[in-house]
Amino acid sequence: MMITGDALPDYSVNGNRKHNRINSGHSIEQSQESIYDYFLDIVKTCAADFVLQEFARLFIQSAGSERSEVSQALHELTFANDEETFRNTLKRTCYILVNNWDTSRNYQAIQDLIKLFFDTTLQKYTASTVLRRVRAWVSKFVQSQDFRELELFAARHVPDRYSHWKHRYNSFLLATQYINPQNSPEQRRAARMLSRKLREQFKFKLAMYVAHSQTTSLGATSKEDLNPTALGEEALLLIKALAVRRGSYSYANLARLFLGQTKHLAYGDFKRSLQNYLTFSVGDVNITKTLSQRLADRFENLYVDMDEEPVTSSLLLKTCKRVIELLTTENHQDPSPLFVSLVSSSSPLVWSSILLKTILICPQVRPYLEACVARIIQYYEPIPADDCQWVIHAIEVLNIVLAIHADNVEYNLIKVQDDIDECSPELESASDYRVFSQVKHQLTK
């Protein structure tokens, strides 16, 4: 039901209503908590339609809530004339609803919440100073990065053909939200949960694609419909190339070997060993040379005051963050020169493999990696998909590399005829092999 009229009292000096002072005993924080508690209560006990109507009445149409103390709480926030506090209250309320609806799998309610922000009421003229203020603040919120982050929670249910190419990688984009300590606990929790769900869904779909793609019972079109990547048939070739690295040459074993050999080294020696570890088995001599030089330049002045000290878990984490920045974005905005060099020269697998090696020796750095990749996605976001296929291709490769080496999916390669040389990281002929995936436990579908 649409609510019309200027329901909020006008507290401006020239307003027709009597100036109403805020009760000095009722703090802004208490006003915020009143709103949070109300929506937390009704989202758990009431139908989604009622919750959406209350949200719209309070924040969009400014008609007031059915509960008078909640209306008064918003009046006090508005009268304080603090846009940042108002926006934080609005954001946290949104994520309270998103968290609860996601838990109950009411995804339509999340989409309907996003739609509320496009209500034409926000554009209507009002003589009320306070109403103009609220509508201006909400309209600015809709144009902000905060709202784009909120939209990610509805975008997961929009078919790919209707969405921007960046939404294929929402699991990365969400990382920037849940690693940001400035975001509310509700927002960080919602982002972390959805990112994990999207990763698990991708791994499950990839495993199902592998299971069906090598059968003759499905046509080419049906097989491609199962493919969760944007790589076409190349996805299966890449999976085979990754699965062949097993035994002593597997990425996991190399990481364990590196950690075992360096656990007693001083930090200066550790950095030199790390450079060798990251560039081991790259393959291309020119790429190896370039990569080694870039790493050497970065490590030369990196935490030099710690060169004679043992490597702590904290120092390892900070060092791996610097490696990831070198390979993604060093200023947290623009792609790094090494990223452009590796990816644009048709070496996305080398780029992805080095990032994988980094998180295998320090799993705690993975959220930071995902956030850095998100910034690359955001940098190229204005560019149409057809004009940045090289970037999309690199992120697709990284997505597969991370999925292949996840703990809950195991990929095994079997040669149809002769024995495979386990020491060789390359396939003699991809058609001579079959790759099999095994889900170790139930994934989120």
Side-chain angles (χ1 to χ4, degrees):
M1 180 178 64
M2 294 293 295
I3 308 298
T4 59
D6 296 343
L8 275 178
D10 191 342
Y11 293 135
S12 62
V13 174
N14 296 323
N16 293 327
R17 295 179 181 269
K18 182 178 179 181
H19 182 70
N20 193 352
R21 283 185 5 184
I22 298 176
N23 183 348
S24 60
H26 197 198
S27 69
I28 293 298
E29 290 77 12
Q30 287 174 315
S31 297
Q32 290 177 299
E33 289 300 326
S34 295
I35 294 172
Y36 302 149
D37 290 345
Y38 176 61
F39 280 99
L40 188 59
D41 177 47
I42 63 174
V43 77
K44 291 179 178 294
T45 58
C46 301
D49 286 346
F50 174 77
V51 178
L52 289 165
Q53 183 184 52
E54 282 292 274
F55 183 91
R57 285 170 58 91
L58 194 66
F59 289 106
I60 307 299
Q61 298 149 4
S62 304
S65 166
E66 284 195 357
R67 190 174 294 182
S68 60
E69 60 267 30
V70 176
S71 297
Q72 180 63 24
L74 186 68
H75 297 168
E76 292 172 352
L77 289 177
T78 308
F79 184 66
N81 198 21
D82 185 341
E83 182 179 359
E84 182 178 0
T85 298
F86 177 88
R87 176 179 289 196
N88 289 338
T89 306
L90 174 61
K91 279 178 54 182
R92 188 168 183 179
T93 302
C94 287
Y95 284 106
I96 287 173
L97 301 183
V98 167
N99 267 315
N100 282 275
W101 283 330
D102 186 73
T103 299
S104 62
R105 302 190 178 217
N106 192 347
Y107 306 125
Q108 184 59 52
I110 298 175
Q111 291 183 297
D112 291 341
L113 174 66
I114 301 299
K115 292 177 183 177
L116 290 178
F117 287 95
F118 298 96
D119 193 312
T120 56
T121 301
L122 292 172
Q123 310 305 322
K124 290 182 179 179
Y125 172 78
T126 174
S128 166
T129 302
V130 173
L131 277 179
R132 288 201 303 272
R133 180 182 299 163
V134 171
R135 292 176 184 177
W137 286 349
V138 175
S139 295
K140 287 175 66 176
F141 171 71
V142 174
Q143 301 300 319
S144 70
Q145 176 64 28
D146 286 330
F147 185 70
R148 288 192 288 274
E149 292 177 350
L150 181 63
E151 285 185 301
L152 292 179
F153 294 88
R156 63 182 291 206
H157 303 292
V158 177
D160 287 343
R161 63 183 179 275
Y162 297 126
S163 63
H164 190 279
W165 64 263
K166 71 173 182 179
H167 290 306
R168 292 184 56 84
Y169 314 110
N170 281 349
S171 61
F172 291 102
L173 295 172
L174 288 160
T176 60
Q177 297 186 45
Y178 68 74
I179 72 169
N180 185 355
Q182 300 302 315
N183 288 333
S184 68
E186 289 81 5
Q187 180 177 358
R188 297 180 69 183
R189 178 175 180 270
R192 184 179 294 107
M193 288 178 60
L194 180 53
S195 180
R196 185 183 299 120
K197 283 183 180 180
L198 293 176
R199 289 200 305 268
E200 293 296 302
Q201 287 172 356
F202 177 79
K203 286 185 284 190
F204 179 85
K205 290 178 181 178
L206 192 66
M208 293 302 99
Y209 167 66
V210 168
H212 293 288
S213 62
Q214 300 168 111
T215 66
T216 57
S217 59
L218 291 177
T221 301
S222 298
K223 291 177 182 179
E224 194 53 39
D225 288 341
L226 290 172
N227 191 346
T229 78
L231 297 182
E233 293 183 0
E234 183 186 344
L236 188 59
L237 298 177
L238 176 59
I239 291 170
K240 290 180 178 181
L242 291 168
V244 76
R245 297 196 62 135
R246 55 185 182 174
S248 59
Y249 280 82
S250 73
Y251 289 110
N253 279 337
L254 289 175
R256 284 192 289 268
L257 181 63
F258 169 77
L259 291 174
Q261 292 178 343
T262 60
K263 62 182 179 181
H264 298 304
L265 293 182
Y267 183 59
D269 295 327
F270 172 84
K271 287 187 291 185
R272 287 185 284 274
S273 295
L274 178 59
Q275 177 182 330
N276 294 332
Y277 163 71
L278 294 175
T279 57
F280 174 76
S281 191
V282 167
D284 188 289
V285 175
N286 292 327
I287 294 177
T288 302
K289 182 178 180 180
T290 300
L291 183 60
S292 295
Q293 187 59 54
R294 296 287 180 86
L295 288 169
D297 292 343
R298 169 55 63 94
F299 290 158
E300 182 179 1
N301 298 312
L302 184 64
Y303 308 126
V304 291
D305 56 324
M306 303 295 293
D307 277 353
E308 303 303 321
E309 301 296 324
V311 181
T312 63
S313 57
S314 174
L315 188 55
L316 174 62
L317 176 61
K318 290 194 293 183
T319 303
C320 288
K321 283 184 176 182
R322 304 295 84 79
V323 171
I324 287 172
E325 289 169 353
L326 181 67
L327 290 159
T328 55
T329 170
E330 295 181 276
N331 62 2
H332 296 177
Q333 292 180 344
D334 304 324
S336 68
L338 189 54
F339 167 81
V340 175
S341 174
L342 287 176
V343 174
S344 64
S345 63
S346 301
S347 304
L349 183 55
V350 172
W351 174 72
S352 300
S353 299
I354 299 169
L355 290 173
L356 173 66
K357 288 180 179 179
T358 304
I359 66 172
L360 285 176
I361 63 171
C362 183
Q364 296 84 355
V365 83
R366 179 165 179 169
Y368 190 75
L369 163 63
E370 293 172 348
C372 287
V373 173
R375 294 186 182 102
I376 290 178
I377 294 170
Q378 290 164 346
Y379 177 86
Y380 289 102
E381 176 184 344
I383 303 176
D386 290 343
D387 296 331
C388 60
Q389 278 298 312
W390 61 284
V391 177
I392 294 174
H393 185 269
I395 299 171
E396 289 286 349
V397 171
L398 177 62
N399 228 356
I400 293 177
V401 166
L402 296 178
I404 290 295
H405 293 277
D407 291 335
N408 51 6
V409 181
E410 182 179 2
Y411 289 83
N412 293 294
L413 197 69
I414 297 179
K415 193 169 185 180
V416 178
Q417 298 176 357
D418 301 326
D419 293 334
I420 184 173
D421 180 4
E422 293 188 4
C423 295
S424 174
E426 303 296 335
L427 291 175
E428 297 159 2
S429 175
S431 61
D432 294 336
Y433 298 86
R434 295 292 181 267
V435 63
F436 298 91
S437 60
Q438 178 180 359
V439 182
K440 293 183 179 179
H441 60 73
Q442 186 65 35
L443 295 177
T444 303
K445 298 185 181 180

